[in-house]
């Protein structure tokens, strides 16, 4: 199995939970990326302390102010990342940031439906649009012919909660706004895979498992999977992907999830 080996990666929502886990695991790789861009909406805030600490010890971590529901913030982040990269491209974009509103169907509101869709679905769309030139550049600069996450890829962190055929854990948590946003994110991933294949960019929707984070804990039960297990599993899955899997919806163990 080929190792995942990237020169540059950007992770959104990198200050806690699974996003921070990605940053930590990239650092621990035998050949860590030269640039780990850690998107964070409040880099100086209390919730970014652990990330700031890590960045102070590892010069390859660059904290990028990034609010994924704000097109101006995304544009500024893309410009900043481009400056750091000089002439080279971005290999891997991990759209990880998301929100969950725990509500019953009866209690869903226009505001929550909009906010969740804007963050979880429109955010990844705008991120991919803004970073496309850098992803294309990475693909063009790669000597390999097929698609791979080491070359150029968009990884949308989705959820089996967005699977229409499984409707995972409906009895525990309804959160219709979240489910709709992730079902739409899956469709977005498929569309991106079709549009970006010709540019040499792999696109995938990835379910991280039910993971011990603030979001994972919110239904009030202890999730079975740790951040470390989830991220390690996802990185292993990413290392195996090729053009066969672009546009797929997979879980952290590499299993195909029904749409
Ligand atoms: P957390 O709630 O622990 O962390 C969410 C991260 O996203 C935080 O860094 C948060 O930043 C950031 N974020 C939220 N909104 C925005 C925004 N508008 N702009 C920028 N950053 C934002 O979630 P997890 O780590 O558990 O989840 C990560 C991903 O995994 C999500 O896509 C989630 O849907 C998915 N997932 C998680 C599961 C689980 O069991 N944990 C299960 C299935 C899917 P801040 O600190 O500023 O709020």
């Amino acid at each position: 199995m080929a190792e995942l080996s990237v020169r540059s990666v950007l992770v959104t929502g990198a200050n806690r939970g699974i996003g921070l886990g990605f940053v930590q695991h990239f650092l621990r790789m035998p050949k860590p990326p030269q640039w780990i861009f850690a998107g964070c909406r409040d880099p100086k805030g209390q919730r970014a302390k652990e990330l700031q600490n890590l960045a102070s010890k590892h010069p390859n971590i660059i904290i990028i102010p990034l609010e994924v529901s704000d097109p101006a913030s995304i544009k500024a982040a893309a410009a900043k990342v481009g400056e750091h990269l000089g002439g080279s491209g971005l290999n891997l974009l991990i759209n990880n940031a998301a929100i969950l509103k725990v509500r019953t169907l009866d209690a869903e509101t226009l505001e929550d439906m909009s906010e969740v869709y804007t963050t979880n679905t429109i955010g990844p769309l705008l991120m991919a649009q803004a970073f496309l030139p850098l992803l294309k550049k990475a693909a063009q600069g790669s000597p390999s012919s097929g698609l791979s996450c080491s070359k150029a890829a968009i990884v949308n962190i989705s959820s089996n909660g967005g699977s229409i055929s499984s409707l995972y854990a409906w009895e525990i948590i309804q959160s219709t706004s979240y489910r709709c946003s992730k079902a739409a994110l899956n469709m977005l991933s498929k569309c991106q895979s079709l549009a970006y294949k010709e540019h040499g960019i792999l696109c995938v929707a990835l379910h991280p498992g039910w993971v011990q984070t603030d979001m994972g804990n919110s239904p009030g039960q202890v999730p079975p999977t740790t951040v470390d297990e989830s991220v390690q599993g996802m990185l292993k899955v990413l290392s195996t992907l090729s053009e066969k899997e672009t546009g797929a919806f997979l879980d952290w163990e590499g299993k195909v999830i029904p749409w």
Side-chain angles (χ1 to χ4, degrees):
M1 185 181 66
E3 279 278 307
L4 181 67
S5 166
V6 294
R7 261 185 96 199
S8 56
V9 53
L10 185 149
V11 184
T12 67
N15 59 300
R16 60 188 170 99
I18 292 169
L20 182 64
F22 270 118
V23 172
Q24 289 164 333
H25 277 257
F26 278 115
L27 279 176
R28 277 186 235 146
M29 283 180 164
K31 199 171 159 234
Q34 194 174 338
W35 290 283
I36 303 172
F37 298 106
C40 173
R41 61 177 159 176
D42 184 13
K44 297 205 167 76
Q46 205 49 39
R47 281 204 299 240
K49 279 267 173 292
E50 215 175 324
L51 178 63
Q52 288 164 13
N53 220 351
L54 215 53
S56 69
K57 294 187 204 118
H58 299 275
N60 55 341
I61 299 180
I62 319 276
I63 300 179
I64 301 287
L66 179 56
E67 161 63 59
V68 301
S69 64
D70 176 8
S73 171
I74 291 176
K75 213 172 148 202
K80 206 161 271 175
V81 167
E83 270 169 38
H84 280 282
L85 288 171
S88 64
L90 179 72
N91 298 112
L92 193 54
L93 167 62
I94 303 183
N95 281 316
N96 163 78
I99 50 170
L100 164 73
K101 303 263 179 182
V102 181
R103 296 242 191 289
T104 61
L105 177 58
D106 289 348
E108 289 291 358
T109 61
L110 186 154
E111 289 74 21
D112 282 356
M113 286 295 287
S114 306
E115 193 192 340
V116 172
Y117 189 76
T118 302
T119 306
N120 297 5
T121 316
I122 302 177
L125 166 83
L126 299 180
M127 283 294 297
Q129 289 174 337
F131 285 85
L132 189 61
L134 291 172
L135 289 160
K136 278 186 187 172
K137 206 179 266 182
Q140 282 156 7
S142 162
S144 61
S145 56
L147 300 186
S148 77
C149 290
S150 296
K151 180 174 167 178
I154 298 168
V155 176
N156 291 322
I157 303 298
S158 186
S159 168
N160 61 356
S163 162
I164 293 171
S165 43
S166 87
L167 263 166
Y168 183 76
W170 174 256
E171 314 70 36
I172 303 172
I173 182 169
Q174 294 191 351
S175 296
T176 304
S177 57
Y178 180 79
R179 290 180 188 278
C180 292
S181 74
K182 293 297 190 180
L185 179 65
N186 290 342
M187 177 56 94
L188 173 68
S189 307
K190 188 76 188 179
C191 296
Q192 288 171 328
S193 74
L194 296 176
Y196 299 157
K197 194 174 183 171
E198 64 178 287
H199 302 307
I201 302 166
L202 187 150
C203 303
V204 70
L206 204 54
H207 164 61
W210 185 12
V211 187
Q212 293 161 16
T213 65
D214 294 338
M215 186 188 287
N217 296 338
S218 52
Q221 297 182 15
V222 180
T225 311
T226 64
V227 169
D228 267 355
E229 289 163 343
S230 167
V231 173
Q232 201 171 331
M234 287 192 282
L235 290 174
K236 192 169 160 204
V237 171
L238 294 185
S239 73
T240 65
L241 303 183
S242 68
E243 44 283 1
K244 286 202 301 294
E245 288 87 15
T246 193
F249 179 23
L250 304 172
D251 76 4
W252 63 291
E253 294 176 304
K255 293 193 213 92
V256 173
I257 304 187
W259 297 112

